[in-house]
Amino acid sequence: LLLLDEPAAGMVAKERAQLCEVIHKICAQGIAVLVIEHHMGLIMEVCERIAVLNFGQKIADDVPSVIRANPAVIEAYLGAAD
């Protein structure tokens, strides 16, 4: 198991793309990777399953396509539409 805590902090887009490649290669070797990250683009790219926390409470746990459309996640991280 490899735990990554905010690995994309301070990275520009090119570096994040390289990080995604590295994470994919590690996973391809059969190593489990747990990523804690605020950059949702990176998370959507590298994760098979995502758990979303809001103020320490889990509000969602599913695959990226479902997380992306989850109203609770949208409200917590993008704000509710008026």
Side-chain angles (χ1 to χ4, degrees), residues 53-59:
L53 301 178
N54 188 26
F55 295 105
Q57 299 295 315
K58 185 164 66 169
I59 61 171

Side-chain angles (χ1 to χ4, degrees), residues 31-64:
I31 299 170
V33 180
L34 176 70
V35 182
I36 300 166
E37 180 62 64
H38 287 94
H39 193 281
M40 293 307 293
L42 177 92
I43 291 297
M44 293 295 175
E45 170 69 24
V46 301
C47 295
E48 294 176 6
R49 187 157 194 94
I50 301 169
V52 181
L53 301 178
N54 188 26
F55 295 105
Q57 299 295 315
K58 185 164 66 169
I59 61 171
D61 183 356
D62 217 317
V63 297

